[in-house]
Structures are given as C-alpha cells and as structure tokens.
Amino acid sequence: MSGDRVTSVDVARRAGVSQSTVSLVFSGKAEGRISARTTALVRAAAVELGYRPNAAARALKTGAARTVALVVPDVTNPFFGGLLRGAQTAARAAGYAVALIDTANDRDWGAASAEALQAGPADGLMLFEVDPPPRAPGARADAAEPIVVIESESRGHTSVRLDVEDGTLAAVGHLRELGHERIGHVASIHDRPTFRLRRRAVDRLAGKGTPRARCDFTLDSARSAALELLHADPSLTALFCDDDVIAAGAYLAARELERRIPADLSVVGFDGLDIGRVLDPPVTTVVADAVELGRVAFELLHAQLAGNRPRSRVLPVELAVRGSTAPPRT
C-alpha cells in the first residue's frame, strides 16, 4: 500500500464489500449478521494487505466496550436534554455508557451516522426519528438488530413514542371547549411522524382548513410564522404550537402586535419544557416526559441486548392548563 497504513476502507475494496461489513467482522459482531463466506473474504483480504484493527475494535471484540448510541435531530432543543438524561441514567445502572449524536436535522447524515455506529463503536442504537440502517450484506433475514426507534415506527424494530395524537386532541379540545372557533396552527417545518400525527389531530377538531404556518424550533422562526398567521387572518383567537419553544415565539409575535395573552389570543404549546413555565403568563401545554421516554428507550434496547424481543410502547402525555388560555372575547 505504498507504505501507508492499511485501513478498513482498503480491506473493503479488496474484499468487494462495504466498510461497515469490515467493521462488523473485526468488532466481533458478524455472527448472525454476516455470512461465513463474506467473513472469510474479509479476513483473507486483511491478511493479504496486512491490516490490523485498532484498539477500539479489539476492545469491542473482547466485550470490554459497553456503549450504546442515542441519535437525535437537534441537540439544542431542551427536550433532548431530558431524553439523554433518562437514557443515560438507565444505561449507567446497567453498566453502559451513552454516546450522543446530533444530526442537525439532516436525515441523510442521521442515516449515515446510524450505519457507522452500528458497524463499530456502538453495541446498540436508540434512533430519534432516524431511519434504521439497512441490514449488512450477507446478514440473515431473521437476525435481530439491537435498535430502538423513538417517536417513529419501522417494520421489524421495537419502538417507543409519545401519544402525541391524544395530547393534541386534548389541547385543541380544550380551546374548543373555551369557545374558540378560529384556531391557527404554528407547526414544525420538519416532516416527521410525530408532527404528521399532530397535524391530523388539529385538522380533526379544528377543521381541514385550519390556518397553518411552519417554522423551525427557534424563537425567530416561530415568531415569523405566528406573525404570518395573525397578519393573514386577524380573526384567529387561539394558536396551537407544536412545541413550547415555538409557543415562546408566538408570545413574541403577540407582543409585537399588541395582542394580550390570553385576553386577545390564547396559546397552547407542547412538550412541557421549562421555558413554558417562565413565560408570562405560563403557557398551557401538553406535558411529555422526555426523561421517561429516554429511560424506556434504553430499557427496550437493553432487553434486546439480552436476547429478548420486547414489545413497542406508547407513553401517555397530559394537558397542563395554565394562564395562557381563556375564552375568546365576545
């Protein structure tokens, strides 16, 4: 190799397989996932090239490394801090460390990260709205993959998610019971299962013609989306927001338009983040226990690592009525 250090990429090219397959072979994870023929090809190519796996791979092969990975779309969102804390606390009690990967809302990067983690450094994966990696070439069709998908569903994989549809119905139902007929939806710009469920639930109670503006999970983006809605339809008396950070942006928009909350505009958030309690008035929100979600995700993964096949879970949420909602002015 012209004096250069031989890498797993070189071995993969010589054997005619993917780099992830080489990593599986030398991390001790090939059994049941890579065929004996493919494993032999990889090892033969390694011998021919003089490849030596690094120390981390040797640790994995001997079982010295006990690490699982949590892949999330946006580490800056406070919700994922709670998710990590729950997973980490449960993992520590079981003797595992949790590696956190932030995809920055890049689905392709998330999928690539999951595949790389599965092939080498992680014994199992917890994927928040990230597609599980494809089975490695030569893997048995019935080979169990230690993967838990969070806030999503993937055929053949255990999942855990929040009952966001029920929570959204409770939130919008609360607004309807107060007498609001003109309700706007400040929605996430990201097209993911959890937000599709929220949109369907909003449309179910507020009508399919519900005014909707999409935004990212930042104050400025949410403020702009709320302003767009309120300028386009001044008759709106309430806003349902996909997240408490988005709700905080709606507060900024209401302040800019000199609309008092809740006298002139009712606002409901989602997730039960701490930011919602420091808003003035505190925001009515659907409380979702991120810590419990993380804890359950690891417990389901741990069960898989022990050779079991746990059932998927749906966790309840609860509407917390605070000071941001009131009957519309007549």
Side-chain angles (χ1 to χ4, degrees):
M1 300 301 295
S2 305
D4 295 334
R5 187 177 74 84
V6 179
T7 69
S8 61
V9 175
D10 301 317
V11 176
R13 288 172 179 165
R14 183 61 61 91
V17 299
S18 67
Q19 183 184 9
S20 63
T21 297
V22 175
S23 297
L24 284 169
V25 169
F26 286 101
S27 67
K29 298 181 179 181
E31 185 175 356
R33 300 161 77 180
I34 305 296
S35 69
R37 179 179 178 277
T38 301
T39 298
L41 284 173
V42 170
R43 292 195 180 279
V47 171
E48 182 182 348
L49 296 174
Y51 172 70
R52 296 291 183 273
N54 61 29
R58 287 197 297 271
L60 281 164
K61 186 175 180 180
T62 60
R66 292 166 62 85
T67 304
V68 296
L70 172 63
V71 183
V72 302
D74 182 6
V75 74
T76 66
N77 190 304
F79 182 85
F80 296 113
L83 184 76
L84 173 63
R85 178 59 55 85
Q88 188 170 263
T89 300
R92 181 184 298 176
Y96 283 82
V98 178
L100 178 66
I101 306 297
D102 175 25
T103 70
N105 286 307
D106 186 327
R107 299 296 292 269
D108 291 337
W109 177 248
S113 298
E115 185 171 358
L117 289 163
Q118 183 188 45
D123 295 310
L125 304 178
M126 295 172 285
L127 306 176
F128 195 103
E129 296 182 341
V130 172
D131 295 330
R135 293 183 183 276
R140 294 202 325 260
D142 62 345
E145 301 285 351
I147 293 173
V148 171
V149 292
I150 308 172
E151 282 300 282
S152 186
E153 293 182 348
S154 177
R155 186 174 181 180
H157 293 98
T158 302
S159 67
V160 57
R161 66 177 180 85
L162 300 164
D163 195 349
V164 296
E165 188 170 22
D166 183 71
T168 304
L169 289 173
V172 179
H174 168 65
L175 292 173
R176 295 300 301 269
E177 288 172 1
L178 288 173
H180 293 278
E181 296 181 356
R182 298 294 300 157
I183 301 171
H185 183 190
V186 191
S188 166
I189 198 172
H190 304 290
D191 186 25
R192 299 188 182 123
T194 184
F195 300 123
R196 290 197 290 271
L197 287 172
R198 296 175 211 206
R199 288 198 297 269
R200 285 201 292 267
V202 170
D203 290 346
R204 178 176 163 186
L205 287 188
K208 290 187 177 181
T210 298
R212 180 172 287 118
R214 291 176 170 84
C215 64
D216 214 334
F217 289 92
T218 67
L219 292 176
D220 286 342
S221 181
R223 167 188 160 276
S224 295
L227 283 173
E228 176 187 334
L229 277 177
L230 295 172
H231 278 307
D233 190 348
S235 70
L236 294 177
T237 60
L239 296 177
F240 170 75
C241 304
D242 272 355
D243 172 85
D244 288 340
V245 174
I246 293 177
Y251 272 53
L252 294 178
R255 182 187 306 166
E256 189 170 328
L257 297 175
E258 297 184 347
R259 296 186 66 170
R260 296 168 298 163
I261 297 174
D264 303 318
L265 182 71
S266 286
V267 177
V268 178
F270 207 106
D271 285 341
L273 302 178
D274 286 343
I275 189 176
R277 293 190 296 160
V278 299
L279 293 174
D280 185 19
V283 70
T284 294
T285 185
V286 178
V287 178
D289 193 337
V291 174
E292 177 69 1
L293 184 64
R295 184 191 69 79
V296 172
F298 176 78
E299 288 190 350
L300 293 174
L301 183 62
H302 192 220
Q304 292 182 47
L305 291 167
N308 301 315
R309 293 192 175 184
R311 293 183 176 182
S312 296
R313 297 273 306 275
V314 178
L315 305 184
V317 295
E318 183 178 2
L319 179 67
V321 177
R322 297 172 180 161
S324 67
T325 51
R329 291 197 302 177
T330 55

